Amino acid sequence: MFLLNDLPNDKALSNFVKDFPNLEFTSVSAFLRIVRLGSIYLEKLDKLLGQYGITHGRWITLILLKRQKNSQKLPSELAKQQGVTKATISGLIKLLNSEGYIERSSNQSDKRKNIVILTKKGDDLLNNIMPAYYEFVSDLLKSLNHDEQEVLIKLLDKLI
Amino acid sequence: MFLLNDLPNDKALSNFVKDFPNLEFTSVSAFLRIVRLGSIYLEKLDKLLGQYGITHGRWITLILLKRQKNSQKLPSELAKQQGVTKATISGLIKLLNSEGYIERSSNQSDKRKNIVILTKKGDDLLNNIMPAYYEFVSDLLKSLNHDEQEVLIKLLDKLI
DNA sequence: TGACAATGATTAGCTGGCTAACTATAATGA
DNA sequence: TCATTATAGTTAGCCAGCTAATCATTGTCA
């Protein structure tokens, strides 16, 4: 979370420029806005998902499972795709399992592996959440028209 | 942190569209990119600051103090500007104080208040960090030229 | 083949946020 | 005036990430 409410204004930055002549004003502005907006959105998302008793970490795990044809995956695959450590996935899976949103089963051919399966209950939860999520997102982005959104996506893709 | 490495591609999203017809493709794409890029940047920033033995929370506190003419502020002002709770600022200040980067003093006229002052050591730390930070930021943003950065800032400002 | 490396998963313990509950002081208004 | 409300700050305890260490199993190559 990086919610810095008072982004530096021109005056504040120009005070810094005095001391740090290598400051590129627009880069810093863009950087701060990206980090701040990302944090604002993430906080709002967690608030929305909280209404369904879930966090964004657990929600993404469920989505990754649903994306899969047979709705199953290895924990280590989930970790890689989700961008978290295996330790974190281990905890997420334990919770999701105890809540009945996923099930686990072992792999015969390789006993180290551990298959995670989305349950009916997990799928139902996603079916409840997703419409609200899509509404939430289109509401957040509604101050940009379609063309502006396309431009934004292109610019962000250059950075990612 | 929201680092979802595998953003949904067209195929994945179109599978979801089947089930959730109110999905606005471009809004979701833009939303995910903002949150993801913000998280990536935040993680990199923390790695950079870690080289100076500091976190982004403590760093922002120091910057907010330096921005002030007399380099001093109330904890509650810091909390508001930084976008964290008073409880969090309380912890940050305790740490920064124990490390010698700030000092505290009490306010005569209102004994509830508690003045935080940037020390020479804190200012020196910032003077060390900022050039590296500016280089770091301009490097992150270098795949966009100046005009593109301006466009990006305008779009993000519409959303913030 | 058998030692060592690689892989998959878990656990323990850390950290930086948070909320809720609290203390102390100041401001307000019947 | 004095009871109530508001403000400033702290503490305790929660949570979701993390790293490092560990265990079990599988793969590799001299």
mmCIF file with all atom_site columns, all heavy atoms in Angstrom, chain B residues 3-20:
data_model
loop_
_atom_site.group_PDB
_atom_site.id
_atom_site.type_symbol
_atom_site.label_atom_id
_atom_site.label_alt_id
_atom_site.label_comp_id
_atom_site.label_asym_id
_atom_site.label_entity_id
_atom_site.label_seq_id
_atom_site.pdbx_PDB_ins_code
_atom_site.Cartn_x
_atom_site.Cartn_y
_atom_site.Cartn_z
_atom_site.occupancy
_atom_site.B_iso_or_equiv
_atom_site.pdbx_formal_charge
_atom_site.auth_seq_id
_atom_site.auth_comp_id
_atom_site.auth_asym_id
_atom_site.auth_atom_id
_atom_site.pdbx_PDB_model_num
ATOM 1   N N   . LEU B 1 3  ? 0.390   -9.065  -7.848  1.00 0.00 ? 3  LEU B N   1
ATOM 2   C CA  . LEU B 1 3  ? 1.405   -9.226  -8.888  1.00 0.00 ? 3  LEU B CA  1
ATOM 3   C C   . LEU B 1 3  ? 0.989   -10.193 -9.979  1.00 0.00 ? 3  LEU B C   1
ATOM 4   O O   . LEU B 1 3  ? 1.798   -10.533 -10.823 1.00 0.00 ? 3  LEU B O   1
ATOM 5   C CB  . LEU B 1 3  ? 2.721   -9.673  -8.241  1.00 0.00 ? 3  LEU B CB  1
ATOM 6   C CG  . LEU B 1 3  ? 3.332   -8.612  -7.326  1.00 0.00 ? 3  LEU B CG  1
ATOM 7   C CD1 . LEU B 1 3  ? 4.437   -9.180  -6.481  1.00 0.00 ? 3  LEU B CD1 1
ATOM 8   C CD2 . LEU B 1 3  ? 3.833   -7.443  -8.151  1.00 0.00 ? 3  LEU B CD2 1
ATOM 9   N N   . LEU B 1 4  ? -0.271  -10.593 -9.938  1.00 0.00 ? 4  LEU B N   1
ATOM 10  C CA  . LEU B 1 4  ? -0.802  -11.530 -10.937 1.00 0.00 ? 4  LEU B CA  1
ATOM 11  C C   . LEU B 1 4  ? 0.031   -11.547 -12.205 1.00 0.00 ? 4  LEU B C   1
ATOM 12  O O   . LEU B 1 4  ? -0.047  -10.642 -13.028 1.00 0.00 ? 4  LEU B O   1
ATOM 13  C CB  . LEU B 1 4  ? -2.252  -11.134 -11.264 1.00 0.00 ? 4  LEU B CB  1
ATOM 14  C CG  . LEU B 1 4  ? -3.011  -12.090 -12.197 1.00 0.00 ? 4  LEU B CG  1
ATOM 15  C CD1 . LEU B 1 4  ? -3.112  -13.474 -11.568 1.00 0.00 ? 4  LEU B CD1 1
ATOM 16  C CD2 . LEU B 1 4  ? -4.399  -11.578 -12.493 1.00 0.00 ? 4  LEU B CD2 1
ATOM 17  N N   . ASN B 1 5  ? 0.846   -12.571 -12.352 1.00 0.00 ? 5  ASN B N   1
ATOM 18  C CA  . ASN B 1 5  ? 1.749   -12.612 -13.498 1.00 0.00 ? 5  ASN B CA  1
ATOM 19  C C   . ASN B 1 5  ? 1.011   -12.906 -14.786 1.00 0.00 ? 5  ASN B C   1
ATOM 20  O O   . ASN B 1 5  ? 1.334   -12.366 -15.833 1.00 0.00 ? 5  ASN B O   1
ATOM 21  C CB  . ASN B 1 5  ? 2.835   -13.660 -13.264 1.00 0.00 ? 5  ASN B CB  1
ATOM 22  C CG  . ASN B 1 5  ? 3.864   -13.174 -12.267 1.00 0.00 ? 5  ASN B CG  1
ATOM 23  O OD1 . ASN B 1 5  ? 4.166   -11.995 -12.229 1.00 0.00 ? 5  ASN B OD1 1
ATOM 24  N ND2 . ASN B 1 5  ? 4.392   -14.073 -11.457 1.00 0.00 ? 5  ASN B ND2 1
ATOM 25  N N   . ASP B 1 6  ? 0.018   -13.768 -14.721 1.00 0.00 ? 6  ASP B N   1
ATOM 26  C CA  . ASP B 1 6  ? -0.723  -14.132 -15.925 1.00 0.00 ? 6  ASP B CA  1
ATOM 27  C C   . ASP B 1 6  ? -2.002  -13.331 -16.011 1.00 0.00 ? 6  ASP B C   1
ATOM 28  O O   . ASP B 1 6  ? -3.074  -13.794 -15.583 1.00 0.00 ? 6  ASP B O   1
ATOM 29  C CB  . ASP B 1 6  ? -1.057  -15.630 -15.906 1.00 0.00 ? 6  ASP B CB  1
ATOM 30  C CG  . ASP B 1 6  ? 0.185   -16.468 -16.186 1.00 0.00 ? 6  ASP B CG  1
ATOM 31  O OD1 . ASP B 1 6  ? 1.294   -15.921 -16.090 1.00 0.00 ? 6  ASP B OD1 1
ATOM 32  O OD2 . ASP B 1 6  ? 0.035   -17.648 -16.510 1.00 0.00 ? 6  ASP B OD2 1
ATOM 33  N N   . LEU B 1 7  ? -1.905  -12.136 -16.559 1.00 0.00 ? 7  LEU B N   1
ATOM 34  C CA  . LEU B 1 7  ? -3.132  -11.378 -16.789 1.00 0.00 ? 7  LEU B CA  1
ATOM 35  C C   . LEU B 1 7  ? -3.964  -12.175 -17.789 1.00 0.00 ? 7  LEU B C   1
ATOM 36  O O   . LEU B 1 7  ? -3.425  -12.862 -18.650 1.00 0.00 ? 7  LEU B O   1
ATOM 37  C CB  . LEU B 1 7  ? -2.803  -9.987  -17.345 1.00 0.00 ? 7  LEU B CB  1
ATOM 38  C CG  . LEU B 1 7  ? -2.061  -9.057  -16.397 1.00 0.00 ? 7  LEU B CG  1
ATOM 39  C CD1 . LEU B 1 7  ? -1.918  -7.667  -17.005 1.00 0.00 ? 7  LEU B CD1 1
ATOM 40  C CD2 . LEU B 1 7  ? -2.773  -8.923  -15.057 1.00 0.00 ? 7  LEU B CD2 1
ATOM 41  N N   . PRO B 1 8  ? -5.280  -12.114 -17.663 1.00 0.00 ? 8  PRO B N   1
ATOM 42  C CA  . PRO B 1 8  ? -6.114  -12.905 -18.568 1.00 0.00 ? 8  PRO B CA  1
ATOM 43  C C   . PRO B 1 8  ? -5.896  -12.453 -20.010 1.00 0.00 ? 8  PRO B C   1
ATOM 44  O O   . PRO B 1 8  ? -5.906  -11.271 -20.305 1.00 0.00 ? 8  PRO B O   1
ATOM 45  C CB  . PRO B 1 8  ? -7.530  -12.586 -18.104 1.00 0.00 ? 8  PRO B CB  1
ATOM 46  C CG  . PRO B 1 8  ? -7.428  -11.312 -17.352 1.00 0.00 ? 8  PRO B CG  1
ATOM 47  C CD  . PRO B 1 8  ? -6.077  -11.310 -16.734 1.00 0.00 ? 8  PRO B CD  1
ATOM 48  N N   . ASN B 1 9  ? -5.681  -13.396 -20.886 1.00 0.00 ? 9  ASN B N   1
ATOM 49  C CA  . ASN B 1 9  ? -5.575  -13.032 -22.303 1.00 0.00 ? 9  ASN B CA  1
ATOM 50  C C   . ASN B 1 9  ? -6.981  -13.022 -22.923 1.00 0.00 ? 9  ASN B C   1
ATOM 51  O O   . ASN B 1 9  ? -7.975  -13.275 -22.250 1.00 0.00 ? 9  ASN B O   1
ATOM 52  C CB  . ASN B 1 9  ? -4.655  -14.012 -23.036 1.00 0.00 ? 9  ASN B CB  1
ATOM 53  C CG  . ASN B 1 9  ? -5.115  -15.447 -22.845 1.00 0.00 ? 9  ASN B CG  1
ATOM 54  O OD1 . ASN B 1 9  ? -6.288  -15.685 -22.574 1.00 0.00 ? 9  ASN B OD1 1
ATOM 55  N ND2 . ASN B 1 9  ? -4.206  -16.388 -22.971 1.00 0.00 ? 9  ASN B ND2 1
ATOM 56  N N   . ASP B 1 10 ? -7.036  -12.737 -24.203 1.00 0.00 ? 10 ASP B N   1
ATOM 57  C CA  . ASP B 1 10 ? -8.334  -12.611 -24.870 1.00 0.00 ? 10 ASP B CA  1
ATOM 58  C C   . ASP B 1 10 ? -9.183  -13.871 -24.688 1.00 0.00 ? 10 ASP B C   1
ATOM 59  O O   . ASP B 1 10 ? -10.375 -13.796 -24.407 1.00 0.00 ? 10 ASP B O   1
ATOM 60  C CB  . ASP B 1 10 ? -8.141  -12.362 -26.372 1.00 0.00 ? 10 ASP B CB  1
ATOM 61  C CG  . ASP B 1 10 ? -7.477  -11.020 -26.620 1.00 0.00 ? 10 ASP B CG  1
ATOM 62  O OD1 . ASP B 1 10 ? -7.007  -10.413 -25.636 1.00 0.00 ? 10 ASP B OD1 1
ATOM 63  O OD2 . ASP B 1 10 ? -7.436  -10.591 -27.777 1.00 0.00 ? 10 ASP B OD2 1
ATOM 64  N N   . LYS B 1 11 ? -8.524  -15.005 -24.831 1.00 0.00 ? 11 LYS B N   1
ATOM 65  C CA  . LYS B 1 11 ? -9.260  -16.261 -24.757 1.00 0.00 ? 11 LYS B CA  1
ATOM 66  C C   . LYS B 1 11 ? -9.854  -16.444 -23.352 1.00 0.00 ? 11 LYS B C   1
ATOM 67  O O   . LYS B 1 11 ? -11.038 -16.767 -23.195 1.00 0.00 ? 11 LYS B O   1
ATOM 68  C CB  . LYS B 1 11 ? -8.334  -17.426 -25.108 1.00 0.00 ? 11 LYS B CB  1
ATOM 69  C CG  . LYS B 1 11 ? -9.010  -18.782 -25.156 1.00 0.00 ? 11 LYS B CG  1
ATOM 70  C CD  . LYS B 1 11 ? -8.295  -19.739 -26.093 1.00 0.00 ? 11 LYS B CD  1
ATOM 71  C CE  . LYS B 1 11 ? -8.673  -21.181 -25.780 1.00 0.00 ? 11 LYS B CE  1
ATOM 72  N NZ  . LYS B 1 11 ? -8.099  -21.651 -24.489 1.00 0.00 ? 11 LYS B NZ  1
ATOM 73  N N   . ALA B 1 12 ? -9.014  -16.206 -22.346 1.00 0.00 ? 12 ALA B N   1
ATOM 74  C CA  . ALA B 1 12 ? -9.472  -16.385 -20.970 1.00 0.00 ? 12 ALA B CA  1
ATOM 75  C C   . ALA B 1 12 ? -10.634 -15.439 -20.680 1.00 0.00 ? 12 ALA B C   1
ATOM 76  O O   . ALA B 1 12 ? -11.659 -15.840 -20.107 1.00 0.00 ? 12 ALA B O   1
ATOM 77  C CB  . ALA B 1 12 ? -8.331  -16.126 -19.992 1.00 0.00 ? 12 ALA B CB  1
ATOM 78  N N   . LEU B 1 13 ? -10.493 -14.202 -21.117 1.00 0.00 ? 13 LEU B N   1
ATOM 79  C CA  . LEU B 1 13 ? -11.562 -13.245 -20.831 1.00 0.00 ? 13 LEU B CA  1
ATOM 80  C C   . LEU B 1 13 ? -12.818 -13.601 -21.595 1.00 0.00 ? 13 LEU B C   1
ATOM 81  O O   . LEU B 1 13 ? -13.923 -13.464 -21.075 1.00 0.00 ? 13 LEU B O   1
ATOM 82  C CB  . LEU B 1 13 ? -11.121 -11.817 -21.174 1.00 0.00 ? 13 LEU B CB  1
ATOM 83  C CG  . LEU B 1 13 ? -10.506 -11.028 -20.015 1.00 0.00 ? 13 LEU B CG  1
ATOM 84  C CD1 . LEU B 1 13 ? -10.122 -9.626  -20.455 1.00 0.00 ? 13 LEU B CD1 1
ATOM 85  C CD2 . LEU B 1 13 ? -11.474 -10.933 -18.830 1.00 0.00 ? 13 LEU B CD2 1
ATOM 86  N N   . SER B 1 14 ? -12.651 -14.102 -22.818 1.00 0.00 ? 14 SER B N   1
ATOM 87  C CA  . SER B 1 14 ? -13.866 -14.410 -23.583 1.00 0.00 ? 14 SER B CA  1
ATOM 88  C C   . SER B 1 14 ? -14.597 -15.609 -22.983 1.00 0.00 ? 14 SER B C   1
ATOM 89  O O   . SER B 1 14 ? -15.810 -15.711 -23.077 1.00 0.00 ? 14 SER B O   1
ATOM 90  C CB  . SER B 1 14 ? -13.543 -14.626 -25.061 1.00 0.00 ? 14 SER B CB  1
ATOM 91  O OG  . SER B 1 14 ? -12.739 -15.771 -25.212 1.00 0.00 ? 14 SER B OG  1
ATOM 92  N N   . ASN B 1 15 ? -13.841 -16.490 -22.324 1.00 0.00 ? 15 ASN B N   1
ATOM 93  C CA  . ASN B 1 15 ? -14.520 -17.555 -21.579 1.00 0.00 ? 15 ASN B CA  1
ATOM 94  C C   . ASN B 1 15 ? -15.375 -16.972 -20.455 1.00 0.00 ? 15 ASN B C   1
ATOM 95  O O   . ASN B 1 15 ? -16.479 -17.445 -20.198 1.00 0.00 ? 15 ASN B O   1
ATOM 96  C CB  . ASN B 1 15 ? -13.500 -18.515 -20.960 1.00 0.00 ? 15 ASN B CB  1
ATOM 97  C CG  . ASN B 1 15 ? -13.051 -19.571 -21.956 1.00 0.00 ? 15 ASN B CG  1
ATOM 98  O OD1 . ASN B 1 15 ? -13.762 -19.835 -22.926 1.00 0.00 ? 15 ASN B OD1 1
ATOM 99  N ND2 . ASN B 1 15 ? -11.887 -20.151 -21.727 1.00 0.00 ? 15 ASN B ND2 1
ATOM 100 N N   . PHE B 1 16 ? -14.831 -15.951 -19.815 1.00 0.00 ? 16 PHE B N   1
ATOM 101 C CA  . PHE B 1 16 ? -15.585 -15.326 -18.743 1.00 0.00 ? 16 PHE B CA  1
ATOM 102 C C   . PHE B 1 16 ? -16.769 -14.540 -19.286 1.00 0.00 ? 16 PHE B C   1
ATOM 103 O O   . PHE B 1 16 ? -17.846 -14.519 -18.684 1.00 0.00 ? 16 PHE B O   1
ATOM 104 C CB  . PHE B 1 16 ? -14.669 -14.399 -17.922 1.00 0.00 ? 16 PHE B CB  1
ATOM 105 C CG  . PHE B 1 16 ? -13.930 -15.097 -16.827 1.00 0.00 ? 16 PHE B CG  1
ATOM 106 C CD1 . PHE B 1 16 ? -12.648 -15.573 -17.014 1.00 0.00 ? 16 PHE B CD1 1
ATOM 107 C CD2 . PHE B 1 16 ? -14.542 -15.293 -15.598 1.00 0.00 ? 16 PHE B CD2 1
ATOM 108 C CE1 . PHE B 1 16 ? -11.978 -16.239 -15.997 1.00 0.00 ? 16 PHE B CE1 1
ATOM 109 C CE2 . PHE B 1 16 ? -13.874 -15.939 -14.565 1.00 0.00 ? 16 PHE B CE2 1
ATOM 110 C CZ  . PHE B 1 16 ? -12.588 -16.424 -14.771 1.00 0.00 ? 16 PHE B CZ  1
ATOM 111 N N   . VAL B 1 17 ? -16.589 -13.923 -20.448 1.00 0.00 ? 17 VAL B N   1
ATOM 112 C CA  . VAL B 1 17 ? -17.676 -13.139 -21.056 1.00 0.00 ? 17 VAL B CA  1
ATOM 113 C C   . VAL B 1 17 ? -18.911 -14.012 -21.257 1.00 0.00 ? 17 VAL B C   1
ATOM 114 O O   . VAL B 1 17 ? -20.041 -13.571 -21.058 1.00 0.00 ? 17 VAL B O   1
ATOM 115 C CB  . VAL B 1 17 ? -17.241 -12.536 -22.411 1.00 0.00 ? 17 VAL B CB  1
ATOM 116 C CG1 . VAL B 1 17 ? -18.440 -11.953 -23.146 1.00 0.00 ? 17 VAL B CG1 1
ATOM 117 C CG2 . VAL B 1 17 ? -16.188 -11.454 -22.206 1.00 0.00 ? 17 VAL B CG2 1
ATOM 118 N N   . LYS B 1 18 ? -18.662 -15.257 -21.637 1.00 0.00 ? 18 LYS B N   1
ATOM 119 C CA  . LYS B 1 18 ? -19.757 -16.215 -21.824 1.00 0.00 ? 18 LYS B CA  1
ATOM 120 C C   . LYS B 1 18 ? -20.642 -16.229 -20.577 1.00 0.00 ? 18 LYS B C   1
ATOM 121 O O   . LYS B 1 18 ? -21.859 -16.149 -20.659 1.00 0.00 ? 18 LYS B O   1
ATOM 122 C CB  . LYS B 1 18 ? -19.151 -17.607 -22.041 1.00 0.00 ? 18 LYS B CB  1
ATOM 123 C CG  . LYS B 1 18 ? -19.892 -18.497 -22.991 1.00 0.00 ? 18 LYS B CG  1
ATOM 124 C CD  . LYS B 1 18 ? -19.066 -19.763 -23.260 1.00 0.00 ? 18 LYS B CD  1
ATOM 125 C CE  . LYS B 1 18 ? -18.390 -20.308 -21.991 1.00 0.00 ? 18 LYS B CE  1
ATOM 126 N NZ  . LYS B 1 18 ? -17.244 -21.194 -22.287 1.00 0.00 ? 18 LYS B NZ  1
ATOM 127 N N   . ASP B 1 19 ? -19.979 -16.333 -19.404 1.00 0.00 ? 19 ASP B N   1
ATOM 128 C CA  . ASP B 1 19 ? -20.739 -16.429 -18.156 1.00 0.00 ? 19 ASP B CA  1
ATOM 129 C C   . ASP B 1 19 ? -21.186 -15.077 -17.617 1.00 0.00 ? 19 ASP B C   1
ATOM 130 O O   . ASP B 1 19 ? -22.172 -14.989 -16.896 1.00 0.00 ? 19 ASP B O   1
ATOM 131 C CB  . ASP B 1 19 ? -19.886 -17.126 -17.073 1.00 0.00 ? 19 ASP B CB  1
ATOM 132 C CG  . ASP B 1 19 ? -19.580 -18.563 -17.452 1.00 0.00 ? 19 ASP B CG  1
ATOM 133 O OD1 . ASP B 1 19 ? -20.309 -19.120 -18.295 1.00 0.00 ? 19 ASP B OD1 1
ATOM 134 O OD2 . ASP B 1 19 ? -18.606 -19.117 -16.909 1.00 0.00 ? 19 ASP B OD2 1
ATOM 135 N N   . PHE B 1 20 ? -20.423 -14.040 -17.924 1.00 0.00 ? 20 PHE B N   1
ATOM 136 C CA  . PHE B 1 20 ? -20.691 -12.725 -17.333 1.00 0.00 ? 20 PHE B CA  1
ATOM 137 C C   . PHE B 1 20 ? -20.794 -11.678 -18.436 1.00 0.00 ? 20 PHE B C   1
ATOM 138 O O   . PHE B 1 20 ? -19.838 -10.972 -18.723 1.00 0.00 ? 20 PHE B O   1
ATOM 139 C CB  . PHE B 1 20 ? -19.573 -12.347 -16.359 1.00 0.00 ? 20 PHE B CB  1
ATOM 140 C CG  . PHE B 1 20 ? -19.305 -13.413 -15.336 1.00 0.00 ? 20 PHE B CG  1
ATOM 141 C CD1 . PHE B 1 20 ? -18.165 -14.185 -15.406 1.00 0.00 ? 20 PHE B CD1 1
ATOM 142 C CD2 . PHE B 1 20 ? -20.224 -13.662 -14.322 1.00 0.00 ? 20 PHE B CD2 1
ATOM 143 C CE1 . PHE B 1 20 ? -17.926 -15.180 -14.470 1.00 0.00 ? 20 PHE B CE1 1
ATOM 144 C CE2 . PHE B 1 20 ? -19.990 -14.649 -13.382 1.00 0.00 ? 20 PHE B CE2 1
ATOM 145 C CZ  . PHE B 1 20 ? -18.833 -15.414 -13.455 1.00 0.00 ? 20 PHE B CZ  1
#
